[in-house]
Amino acid sequence: MVDVVTSAALFVVSLAVLLAASDAFTSAAERIGLSFGISPFVIGVTIVAGGTSLPELVSSMLAVSQGASEIVMGSVVGSNVSNMLLVLGIAAVVGGDIRVIRELVEVDLPLLVASAVFLILAVWNSPFSWYEGILALAALAVYVHFTISEKDRYVGMLVEELVEDEPDAEQQPTAGPKTYALLLVSMAVVFGAAYVLVESIIDISGSLGIGTELIAISAVALGTSLPEVVVSVMAVRRELPGLAVGNVLGSNLFNSFLVTGVPSFIGDLAVPNSIRGYGLPVMVLVTVLYFFITQDREITRSEGTILLLLYVLFIMNLGTLL
């Protein structure tokens, strides 16, 4: 019992440190990008969007290297479901009705559905292997390229408006030695915290006799979704609903393509029956549901409430798999 409590405490602390270090790394990378004159919009769809998936990515890489590759799919599926049900649900209920711009409905949402279908087909009868990882990273590259080159100016204006709201937005930020030092130190802390996180997951799983993927799909996914909750609610309250939806879409696409693609080069990603038979089908169904409720280009408070109830149901059903 003492071992479980110790492992649980390490899990909570390492997760908190991982999120804080990831945020510091993303902020430093963003500032460095701005200092080189890179567009805030480009930074938003690359550095910031990828930064939200950094905890999942690093912990997944370390999980594969430690022989617990089943954590990867559990983390990806859990994070994607949490983003669509929990994050957007809270944002709609707390922040008010969320308007969805046309470009997200016509381009990003179909790609999000395609990413979910890709995952379930890739692991239907086999592990997720390196050649599927190549396909995933290629799809991510196409998405990022399209977003940078073709995305409607409206989205860029939203990101610019957020930057203009900052006190020092009138002058281009500079990146001194402290910024580069923060980048390196925070990256080192990310890897250290992720290592402890993976070890604590393995220890808790062994002590309680449950699959590591179930801890990843529930506790890890919930913890790593908390920053998205804050960002999305703030975006809606500041009347920037496009960022709230775009934050979730970008995070899910990076999860599906980047967080699975990179670790697959370290080793095949095992997919337990609980993920293949329950987690992935639920993720696909939720993605399709999300696609349909946004066709009227709005997520209402009532729809947000339904999303939250579905998330509770999702977690309750996970309990039957323990």
Side-chain angles (χ1 to χ4, degrees):
M1 184 63 184
V2 175
D3 291 339
V4 175
V5 173
T6 302
S7 298
L10 286 174
F11 173 84
V12 173
V13 172
S14 61
L15 180 59
V17 172
L18 177 60
L19 293 176
S22 297
D23 183 64
F25 175 85
T26 303
S27 298
E30 182 180 7
R31 189 173 186 86
I32 292 172
L34 290 172
S35 71
F36 281 102
I38 301 175
S39 164
F41 174 57
V42 174
I43 291 173
V45 298
T46 54
I47 296 175
V48 176
T52 60
S53 297
L54 187 60
E56 292 94 337
L57 174 61
V58 177
S59 59
S60 293
M61 293 169 60
L62 291 174
V64 176
S65 67
Q66 295 179 53
S69 62
E70 64 276 3
I71 291 176
V72 179
M73 279 298 170
S75 177
V76 169
V77 170
S79 294
N80 285 3
V81 172
S82 296
N83 284 343
M84 288 182 287
L85 296 183
L86 180 66
V87 176
L88 278 179
I90 292 177
V93 171
V94 176
D97 295 349
I98 301 177
R99 290 175 286 106
V100 184
I101 65 173
R102 176 176 57 83
E103 286 71 23
L104 292 178
V105 173
E106 294 181 354
V107 179
D108 296 64
L109 279 170
L111 182 57
L112 181 65
V113 174
S115 71
V117 174
F118 165 75
L119 280 184
I120 201 168
L121 291 178
V123 301
W124 188 257
N125 288 312
S126 63
F128 191 94
S129 301
W130 64 267
Y131 51 87
E132 289 155 331
I134 292 177
L135 292 176
L137 293 178
L140 180 62
V142 170
Y143 167 70
V144 171
H145 173 74
F146 175 84
T147 302
I148 293 174
S149 60
E150 302 292 337
K151 185 65 70 176
D152 190 90
R153 288 177 57 191
Y154 174 70
V155 181
M157 289 168 59
L158 291 178
V159 179
E160 296 283 359
E161 185 174 339
L162 274 184
V163 175
E164 289 172 2
D165 285 342
E166 298 299 325
D168 59 346
E170 294 182 358
Q171 51 184 329
Q172 181 173 308
T174 58
K178 289 184 178 180
T179 305
Y180 287 95
L182 176 62
L183 185 76
L184 296 176
V185 171
S186 60
M187 190 73 257
V189 174
V190 164
F191 273 92
Y195 178 84
V196 176
L197 178 70
V198 172
E199 285 292 326
S200 65
I201 291 173
I202 295 173
D203 290 342
I204 294 173
S205 172
S207 299
L208 299 181
I210 60 178
T212 54
E213 77 280 359
L214 295 179
I215 299 175
I217 200 175
S218 55
V220 175
L222 177 60
T224 55
S225 293
L226 294 180
E228 278 90 346
V229 171
V230 176
V231 171
S232 296
V233 170
M234 288 180 62
V236 173
R237 285 189 172 277
R238 296 173 67 179
E239 298 183 355
L240 298 172
L243 289 183
V245 179
N247 174 50
V248 169
L249 288 175
S251 180
N252 278 21
L253 286 169
F254 271 79
N255 284 342
S256 296
F257 293 140
L258 182 68
V259 178
T260 58
V262 174
S264 69
F265 295 119
I266 302 175
D268 289 350
L269 309 183
V271 185
N273 291 332
S274 56
I275 300 298
R276 182 178 283 114
Y278 176 67
L280 276 167
V282 168
M283 187 187 76
V284 173
L285 290 175
V286 170
T287 305
V288 173
L289 171 65
Y290 180 42
F291 175 82
F292 281 111
I293 67 174
T294 54
Q295 290 307 297
D296 59 356
R297 296 174 57 186
E298 185 178 48
I299 303 176
T300 64
R301 271 197 170 94
S302 59
E303 289 170 336
T305 302
I306 293 174
L307 293 177
L308 291 177
L309 291 176
L310 288 175
Y311 183 73
V312 173
L313 182 63
F314 170 70
I315 295 298
M316 289 177 62
N317 285 334
L318 276 179
T320 64
L321 300 177
L322 298 179

